[in-house]
Amino acid sequence: MDEVLKRVLPVDLQRVAGGRKKVALYWCEIDRKDPQVTFERVARVIHASKPPGEVGKEIWINLTGGTNILNLALQLAAALLGCPARLYYLLSDDDRNLRHTIPEDDLGTERDRFWVEIPVIYLRLDNRTRAILEVLEEAGEALRDDDLLSRLKSHPEFWAEFQEFDLNKLRRNCLLPMAGQQLISRVNEHTVTIGQRWTVLKRYYGIIADLHRPESEAETNLGALAKNQHWFREDVLEV
């Protein structure tokens, strides 16, 4: 792949490199058999490519030819990070072709069967959902919704989110949709606990949360990530 990219990319990059003679090229090593490691590395690369609030970079993710584990990691990381990204496949009747073989007039139209864009469905948790899950986890047991609301109103970080809430509003605006998403489970009509879906998603959200901690600030660009991590390296492409 290294040899092929360095041979074919300069032709295309000359038109968009803005006069630059060298363009940075980055490589990320993954583990095709470990979804957790692959997701964590993909998430850190995407985060370093476009940290929250930063502008000036576009993230395009080509899913063509990727393994199931890699493509899942790419889609899930984009969804959980909430960063603008484009997911797409490139489909061809003959995969030996380096570039598309359809008429240029058909590109971007309904007749285009080469470029297939996949929508990004963002899965970021809002503050209220995060607070409810955090309180339930800290409790370590099912809570009545009135007890839950009392703890939410005194939460050290998210208390302001619930000051105008009463029980009906908590049940209607938060607990009902969270139960539908299986993030929480109902023990009975007025008692809830952590749901099955959250136990699956928690480890992925945990990785995303770690990216926003102060100790991760040193990796808010790709060059810094390459200096800090053995599995990510920077290369130079001559254009």
Side-chain angles (χ1 to χ4, degrees), residues 9-48:
L9 279 180
V11 177
D12 293 325
L13 288 176
Q14 285 172 359
R15 294 178 295 177
V16 296
R20 288 177 294 169
K21 299 300 182 182
K22 296 181 179 180
V23 175
L25 180 66
Y26 296 93
W27 300 90
C28 177
E29 297 178 5
I30 61 167
D31 187 336
R32 293 181 297 173
K33 298 180 181 179
D34 192 327
Q36 188 83 5
V37 168
T38 299
F39 171 81
E40 179 175 2
R41 293 182 179 181
V42 165
R44 293 175 78 166
V45 170
I46 293 178
H47 178 75

Side-chain angles (χ1 to χ4, degrees), residues 202-217:
K202 178 183 175 182
R203 57 179 176 266
Y204 296 101
Y205 274 108
I207 291 171
I208 300 300
D210 287 342
L211 293 176
H212 300 290
R213 299 186 189 281
E215 55 267 29
S216 298
E217 291 181 357

